[in-house]
Amino acid sequence: MKFSNRVGSMQASPVRKLVPFATAAKKDGVKVYHLNIGQPDIKTPEGFMKAVRDFDESVLEYADSVGSDELVNAMIEYYKGYDINYESGEILITNGGSEALLFAMMTLCNPGENILVPEPFYTNYNGFATSVDVQIRPITTKAEEGFHLPSKEKVLASLDENTRAILISNPGNPTGAIYTIEEMQMLAEVAIEKDLWIISDEVYREFVYDGLKYTSFGNLENVADRVIIVDSVSKRYSACGARIGSLASKNKEFIAQVLKLCQGRLCVPTLEMIGAAELYKTPKSYLEEVNKEYCKRRDTLYEEIMKIPGVVCEKPTGAFYMVVKLPVENAEDFVIFMLKEFRHNGATTMATPAENFYATPGLGRDEVRLAYILNCDDLKASAECLRLGLEAYKAAGNK
Amino acid sequence: MKFSNRVGSMQASPVRKLVPFATAAKKDGVKVYHLNIGQPDIKTPEGFMKAVRDFDESVLEYADSVGSDELVNAMIEYYKGYDINYESGEILITNGGSEALLFAMMTLCNPGENILVPEPFYTNYNGFATSVDVQIRPITTKAEEGFHLPSKEKVLASLDENTRAILISNPGNPTGAIYTIEEMQMLAEVAIEKDLWIISDEVYREFVYDGLKYTSFGNLENVADRVIIVDSVSKRYSACGARIGSLASKNKEFIAQVLKLCQGRLCVPTLEMIGAAELYKTPKSYLEEVNKEYCKRRDTLYEEIMKIPGVVCEKPTGAFYMVVKLPVENAEDFVIFMLKEFRHNGATTMATPAENFYATPGLGRDEVRLAYILNCDDLKASAECLRLGLEAYKAAGNK
């Protein structure tokens, strides 16, 4: 009984494959600080459940394949707040940002073609691509440079004749980097010169700190016909379980192509769209409060992490992740050590090994991604665990 | 700006592409009897919304990639009622039956490989396959033979060295056919001899009439390791908008492969699973009532359709569709005529042209699919519209 190469060669989720070790620790009564996942503890705005509870149709019917008018219209208004002008017919609602990314890849690339992505990148980019026979070509960025992009020449040198698109996450997961307007204009130039699409994953749009100015690819007029914006309510409104994402583009032909995929799977859930429409009407003050909270968490975790001898970490300016270079040879081995062997005050810390966030073999072996999604006291305790755990790891003879 | 061949060559949904004609008619005040879509008017069991309304977590979190324990356990109990024994770890919850089908195709077939499917088939089978570079190879079945399968020799002659699976819909959409145990055993023999998977789409499992005995592929022990059951709450519990489907298989390696795809898209919606778990606990009496209602509707529509001179239609024994051969050359042209030009008592009827339910070019051009999802009075009126519409179509000089 054979399986396809595309799914056969997909790696199991690096974020989820260590879960059994955490489960075993918890069964032993150990408290596990989860810095490994992007599940926020922020309250979902109450409008979501209120609207869902008010649903009183006697039949839970199919929705429109493009998404509900209410949700699309709420998103149009939301985008206007960022000077991004989309109209009805330019937005498709998807099953999370995940389906948006998968549909974009399927629509733009034949098997064997590729997409340029700055590494380290959200590891599921590689999963989606592999599952539909698309390759990820990395543009390597470095912790020491705050994960900013290399020169235009290096970006041009990274692509080949089979490159169809540039995919970025901005603010970046796992890097926490925010691209400058100059970096984005450089990518826009490359896209125009090489006739590439730009897929801009902006699900962390509001998670920008230190008063930095954030520019969306939806603001760049010169590439409007080749830009595809991926969005999601998951992180923005702490509604990961709603699985409501979207694709937006001024390129009507692109929308028409993706619509065929949307029609094939009929629609996204009716109730989730009812709730999500309310989310997109949430006052900006909610997002500002959340932003403040994450900024505080970032400062707390960063300060504690920098107390650990031998780490390399540039303070991130966006999203809610940081990539930390540890003074170890194999970060995954260290993460497993933490879960299996190390306890401090009955607790341990779970991080995500970063190697799978890279496409270039060998890179990231000594790095982990930390998500600062816990309250500040827990973040302090979790960083202390990491510091003491590293000492114990070394003391046990590990390199 | 180029698009991929796979999405470029997908046909727009034949069910949905005629919708603008219906919309225009409705704007003119015309009542449109929708026999074209599988959206039931049966009430969704109240347990769904009750459970959803009771959700009171403050954060709407990600669920497990495999699906919630509650839903999986409810499905295990449900299957036991049909002597189908699945355990935890053998069922994956998906975004509708649609995602289940897409994931199965991606997992079993490399680009260029193919799946054997009796035609006419659910047209989105072709859409899913095309979108991931898989081909559909048809086994032609005929209205005059009640859409039953041809001989084993003919089935064997339909496959080639690139065939990886047999996909059936049983009860059949659009045919309404129920396969006999002998037909299923024949397919099982072919699968064993040629080392093929069997994907059995059984979303209409309860829609079986005339006291016929229904056998699931989950009941055939000799192919347990190569059978994949696709299910959905959409039709079974009139909950199309929930988008909750599933894949089940005793083949643990298959489940492990698909799990990678499930982990990539993280999870299906948390709330929909809470509701769906209640659906699968619905007493069988609900399904029996629904069955009776559809049986009555089938009898009503079939009786009325057979009054139309020149039609060919075998009385279907399952699902809620019938394929009707009309005395016209081009059924799509007739369907458009009905929507644009024909009115009787201020109403008209919308059918689905059946050509796109076939992979063999030229077949089905004179056929339509009718869904008997309206109440009996409306079904009578809609059939009368069809009969008078055909007369008018012919009188206007159409062939």
Side-chain angles (χ1 to χ4, degrees):
Chain A
M1 309 292 290
K2 285 189 292 187
F3 300 101
S4 68
N5 299 327
R6 50 184 161 201
V7 176
S9 61
M10 279 178 78
Q11 58 197 5
S13 164
V15 181
R16 299 200 171 209
K17 80 176 179 185
L18 302 177
V19 169
F21 295 108
T23 306
K26 284 185 231 175
K27 275 199 179 143
D28 288 347
V30 177
K31 176 167 177 60
V32 178
Y33 293 112
H34 283 284
L35 302 190
N36 60 305
I37 46 167
Q39 170 60 61
D41 66 348
I42 304 287
K43 279 190 186 171
T44 313
E46 288 176 3
F48 185 97
M49 274 311 296
K50 193 176 170 327
V52 167
R53 287 196 186 99
D54 284 351
F55 178 80
D56 68 349
E57 303 283 333
S58 61
V59 184
L60 185 57
E61 295 191 354
Y62 285 121
D64 198 317
S65 297
V66 301
S68 73
D69 283 349
E70 291 73 16
L71 176 52
V72 169
N73 289 334
M75 289 197 71
I76 288 172
E77 288 305 309
Y78 160 86
Y79 278 129
K80 278 185 189 162
Y82 298 86
D83 292 324
I84 305 171
N85 292 303
Y86 284 117
E87 295 167 14
S88 173
E90 296 175 340
I91 296 174
L92 295 171
I93 306 302
T94 56
N95 285 301
S98 302
E99 191 184 66
L101 287 158
L102 182 68
F103 280 4
M105 290 180 184
M106 290 167 78
T107 302
L108 302 183
C109 299
N110 285 314
E113 294 180 338
N114 67 67
I115 292 177
L116 214 58
V117 188
E119 67 180 357
F121 48 75
Y122 175 48
T123 182
N124 283 328
Y125 288 173
N126 206 3
F128 300 139
T130 305
S131 76
V132 291
D133 298 287
V134 172
Q135 272 79 55
I136 297 288
R137 279 180 80 89
I139 308 169
T140 305
T141 67
K142 293 174 184 167
E144 295 83 345
E145 297 165 1
F147 297 108
H148 280 282
L149 294 174
S151 67
K152 182 175 173 186
E153 289 63 38
K154 282 197 177 162
V155 172
L156 283 168
S158 302
L159 54 81
D160 71 5
E161 71 279 8
N162 291 319
T163 305
R164 292 287 164 264
I166 301 170
L167 164 60
I168 62 159
S169 158
N170 185 32
N173 172 8
T175 63
I178 307 284
Y179 293 131
T180 63
I181 181 80
E182 289 77 18
E183 286 175 290
M184 292 173 62
Q185 279 166 343
M186 181 271 284
L187 289 180
E189 281 173 26
V190 171
I192 292 169
E193 284 170 28
K194 298 295 178 182
D195 195 22
L196 305 177
W197 294 86
I198 294 169
I199 307 170
S200 191
D201 176 350
E202 304 186 357
V203 303
Y204 295 96
R205 185 177 295 112
E206 284 79 11
F207 301 82
V208 177
Y209 314 116
D210 308 330
L212 270 187
K213 182 171 159 46
Y214 176 74
T215 308
S216 163
F217 256 115
N219 298 126
L220 298 199
E221 291 292 333
N222 61 338
V223 281
D225 61 332
R226 58 181 73 244
V227 162
I228 298 156
I229 305 277
V230 172
D231 258 308
S232 163
V233 301
S234 294
K235 317 293 173 164
R236 182 165 297 138
Y237 300 112
S238 195
C240 299
R243 314 307 302 123
I244 293 292
S246 59
L247 280 169
S249 180
K250 305 297 283 184
N251 188 309
K252 295 230 168 27
E253 207 186 337
F254 171 77
I255 295 289
Q257 293 290 325
V258 179
L259 179 56
K260 292 190 279 183
L261 293 169
C262 292
Q263 288 180 334
R265 55 74 164 135
L266 305 173
C267 65
V268 307
T270 302
L271 287 177
E272 310 298 336
M273 289 199 283
I274 288 171
E278 292 307 307
L279 293 181
Y280 272 108
K281 294 175 194 162
T282 307
K284 269 201 170 178
S285 57
Y286 168 87
L287 295 167
E288 286 158 9
E289 283 303 308
V290 172
N291 183 298
K292 264 187 225 162
E293 175 63 25
Y294 278 110
C295 188
K296 203 169 70 183
R297 292 175 177 191
R298 176 201 60 164
D299 292 344
T300 302
L301 184 61
Y302 181 73
E303 192 177 317
E304 297 297 318
I305 289 295
M306 293 311 285
K307 292 177 184 168
I308 304 177
V311 305
V312 177
C313 178
E314 287 287 309
K315 196 174 192 177
T317 52
F320 46 59
Y321 305 100
M322 51 182 80
V323 174
V324 182
K325 197 172 280 209
L326 298 176
V328 301
E329 286 186 356
N330 183 332
E332 179 172 298
D333 189 62
F334 170 65
V335 170
I336 294 171
F337 167 85
M338 290 294 289
L339 291 172
K340 284 180 73 173
E341 302 184 32
F342 181 79
R343 279 95 181 93
H344 174 61
N345 292 339
T348 193
T349 295
M350 184 170 184
T352 301
E355 187 172 4
N356 286 312
F357 294 85
Y358 290 84
T360 304
L363 289 186
R365 285 202 84 194
D366 56 353
E367 297 176 0
V368 291
R369 183 192 75 173
L370 304 179
Y372 41 97
I373 40 87
L374 304 179
N375 65 58
C376 289
D377 286 344
D378 283 354
L379 286 175
K380 278 183 196 168
S382 66
E384 189 182 21
C385 267
L386 276 180
R387 181 169 56 80
L388 297 172
L390 265 171
E391 283 177 17
Y393 185 70
K394 294 285 191 179
N398 296 298
K399 289 186 180 177
Chain B
M1 308 293 290
K2 284 189 294 187
F3 301 100
S4 69
N5 299 327
R6 50 184 161 200
V7 176
S9 62
M10 278 178 78
Q11 58 199 5
S13 163
V15 180
R16 299 200 172 209
K17 80 176 180 184
L18 301 177
V19 169
F21 295 108
T23 306
K26 283 185 230 176
K27 274 198 181 142
D28 288 347
V30 177
K31 175 166 179 57
V32 178
Y33 293 111
H34 283 283
L35 302 190
N36 60 306
I37 46 168
Q39 170 59 60
D41 65 347
I42 304 287
K43 280 189 185 170
T44 313
E46 289 176 2
F48 185 97
M49 274 311 297
K50 192 175 172 323
V52 167
R53 286 196 186 100
D54 284 351
F55 178 81
D56 67 349
E57 304 284 334
S58 62
V59 184
L60 184 58
E61 296 191 354
Y62 286 121
D64 197 316
S65 297
V66 301
S68 72
D69 283 349
E70 291 72 16
L71 176 52
V72 169
N73 289 336
M75 288 196 71
I76 288 171
E77 289 306 309
Y78 160 86
Y79 278 128
K80 279 184 189 162
Y82 297 88
D83 292 323
I84 305 171
N85 292 301
Y86 284 117
E87 295 166 15
S88 173
E90 297 176 339
I91 296 174
L92 295 171
I93 306 302
T94 57
N95 285 300
S98 302
E99 191 184 65
L101 288 158
L102 182 69
F103 280 5
M105 290 180 183
M106 290 167 78
T107 301
L108 302 183
C109 298
N110 286 313
E113 294 181 338
N114 67 67
I115 292 177
L116 215 58
V117 188
E119 69 180 354
F121 50 74
Y122 175 48
T123 182
N124 283 327
Y125 288 172
N126 207 3
F128 300 138
T130 305
S131 75
V132 291
D133 298 288
V134 172
Q135 271 78 54
I136 296 288
R137 280 180 78 88
I139 308 168
T140 305
T141 68
K142 293 175 183 165
E144 295 82 345
E145 297 164 1
F147 297 108
H148 280 283
L149 294 174
S151 66
K152 182 177 173 184
E153 288 63 40
K154 282 196 177 164
V155 172
L156 283 169
S158 301
L159 53 82
D160 71 7
E161 70 280 8
N162 291 318
T163 305
R164 292 287 164 264
I166 301 169
L167 164 59
I168 63 159
S169 158
N170 184 31
N173 171 9
T175 63
I178 307 285
Y179 293 132
T180 63
I181 181 78
E182 290 78 17
E183 286 175 291
M184 291 173 63
Q185 281 166 343
M186 180 271 285
L187 290 180
E189 281 174 25
V190 171
I192 292 169
E193 285 170 29
K194 297 296 177 180
D195 195 21
L196 305 177
W197 294 87
I198 294 169
I199 307 170
S200 190
D201 176 351
E202 304 186 356
V203 302
Y204 295 96
R205 185 177 294 113
E206 285 79 9
F207 300 82
V208 177
Y209 315 115
D210 308 330
L212 271 187
K213 182 172 160 45
Y214 175 75
T215 308
S216 162
F217 257 116
N219 299 126
L220 297 199
E221 292 291 334
N222 61 336
V223 282
D225 61 333
R226 57 182 74 244
V227 161
I228 298 155
I229 305 277
V230 173
D231 257 308
S232 163
V233 300
S234 294
K235 317 293 173 164
R236 181 165 299 137
Y237 299 113
S238 196
C240 299
R243 313 306 304 125
I244 293 292
S246 60
L247 279 170
S249 181
K250 304 298 283 183
N251 188 309
K252 294 230 170 25
E253 206 185 337
F254 171 79
I255 295 289
Q257 292 292 324
V258 178
L259 180 56
K260 293 190 277 184
L261 293 169
C262 292
Q263 288 180 335
R265 55 74 164 135
L266 306 173
C267 66
V268 308
T270 302
L271 288 177
E272 310 298 334
M273 288 198 285
I274 288 171
E278 292 307 308
L279 293 181
Y280 272 108
K281 295 174 194 163
T282 307
K284 268 202 169 177
S285 57
Y286 168 88
L287 295 167
E288 286 158 8
E289 282 303 309
V290 171
N291 183 298
K292 266 187 223 161
E293 175 64 26
Y294 278 110
C295 190
K296 201 169 72 184
R297 291 175 179 191
R298 176 201 61 165
D299 292 344
T300 301
L301 184 62
Y302 180 72
E303 193 178 317
E304 296 298 317
I305 290 295
M306 293 311 285
K307 290 178 184 167
I308 304 176
V311 305
V312 176
C313 178
E314 287 287 308
K315 197 174 192 177
T317 52
F320 45 60
Y321 306 100
M322 53 181 78
V323 173
V324 182
K325 197 173 279 209
L326 299 176
V328 300
E329 286 185 356
N330 184 332
E332 180 173 299
D333 188 64
F334 170 65
V335 169
I336 294 172
F337 167 85
M338 290 294 289
L339 291 172
K340 284 181 73 173
E341 301 184 34
F342 181 78
R343 280 93 180 93
H344 173 61
N345 292 339
T348 192
T349 296
M350 185 170 184
T352 301
E355 188 172 6
N356 286 313
F357 294 84
Y358 289 85
T360 304
L363 290 186
R365 285 203 82 193
D366 55 353
E367 298 176 1
V368 292
R369 183 191 75 172
L370 304 179
Y372 41 97
I373 41 86
L374 305 179
N375 65 57
C376 289
D377 286 345
D378 282 355
L379 285 174
K380 277 184 195 167
S382 66
E384 189 182 20
C385 268
L386 276 180
R387 181 169 56 79
L388 297 173
L390 265 171
E391 283 177 17
Y393 185 71
K394 294 286 192 178
N398 296 297
K399 286 184 180 176

